[in-house]
Amino acid sequence: MSDRDFYRAMACAARPGGACTLPYRRWAASKCRDLTVGLAFRSKHFPAKRAHAIEEAARAAIDQINKTGAALHLSYAGARPADINLYLTDTPVGGTVRGTPSMRLNGRRLGPGTVAKVTFYWQTNTGRITDADIAFSRDIQMRDIRSVVLEEIVQSLGFSTDLEDPYYTQSSIFSENGNSVTRLIGQDAMTLRSHYPPR
């Protein structure tokens, strides 16, 4: 896809050359220079080794996002209140989230074969994102963690579309068919800069 078609596919679910099917959603300019990512909840059944790997992956994702040149700056808040909240749940792959302190998350399905799900909340009249939750399955595999965490945090910035195109499997964090991408380069980085243009 062209850069324009790629960006619009990710930002407003437009088919190449077509109209948007979702509104553009962004964090406020006053907020996106100081966004925080934090660990809101960890189930006692969530494996400790995977929990540690997710926290390390969150820091790595933040570093990747901050290097894209977009008008964004994220930081890791640990267990302190944050804008983007990570929930390490006792949910099996594809299961229903239960037992977290978030009533907004409890009852949500991860989806078939899915190990993580992001939900971001926005004002319908402005498209302004107010906060985001990311739920992780206890069954997420160590080999997938770095890529999955990067994908979910990137999507919490206003992107809810996945790519199902073999061309992008090894090159885009938005690919639905692979968990190997751990860097934001090429059209992925361009998409962030387009959504949050450098000043």
Side-chain angles (χ1 to χ4, degrees), residues 164-173 175-181:
E164 293 190 17
D165 185 330
Y167 177 83
Y168 287 104
T169 300
Q170 302 295 324
S171 62
S172 176
I173 196 65
S175 175
E176 179 73 2
N177 302 314
N179 290 323
S180 62
V181 176

Side-chain angles (χ1 to χ4, degrees), residues 66-119:
N66 290 344
K67 287 179 177 177
T68 62
L72 289 163
H73 184 269
L74 281 66
S75 60
Y76 191 65
R80 298 188 303 276
D83 303 303
I84 301 165
N85 296 287
L86 311 180
Y87 289 81
L88 312 188
T89 75
D90 188 31
T91 311
V93 172
T96 299
V97 176
R98 305 199 188 283
T100 81
S102 172
M103 294 301 102
R104 296 190 300 188
L105 274 186
N106 293 338
R108 288 186 177 269
R109 288 289 307 274
L110 292 185
T114 302
V115 295
K117 183 179 182 64
V118 62
T119 305

Side-chain angles (χ1 to χ4, degrees), residues 33-99:
R33 284 293 193 177
D34 185 28
L35 280 172
T36 53
V37 179
L39 181 62
F41 171 77
R42 177 191 163 197
S43 166
K44 63 182 180 180
H45 302 294
F46 198 95
K49 186 176 180 181
R50 294 176 192 175
H52 177 72
I54 285 175
E55 289 200 82
E56 289 301 304
R59 292 185 178 93
I62 288 166
D63 186 56
Q64 285 291 312
I65 292 166
N66 290 344
K67 287 179 177 177
T68 62
L72 289 163
H73 184 269
L74 281 66
S75 60
Y76 191 65
R80 298 188 303 276
D83 303 303
I84 301 165
N85 296 287
L86 311 180
Y87 289 81
L88 312 188
T89 75
D90 188 31
T91 311
V93 172
T96 299
V97 176
R98 305 199 188 283

Side-chain angles (χ1 to χ4, degrees), residues 46-61 86 88 115-116 134 136-153 173 178-183:
F46 198 95
K49 186 176 180 181
R50 294 176 192 175
H52 177 72
I54 285 175
E55 289 200 82
E56 289 301 304
R59 292 185 178 93
L86 311 180
L88 312 188
V115 295
I134 305 173
F136 293 93
S137 165
R138 69 186 183 214
D139 297 327
I140 188 170
Q141 296 299 302
M142 289 291 291
R143 65 178 179 271
D144 296 331
I145 284 175
R146 189 155 180 175
S147 180
V148 170
V149 171
L150 177 59
E151 177 186 3
E152 302 303 319
I153 293 178
I173 196 65
N179 290 323
S180 62
V181 176
T182 57
R183 297 174 60 214

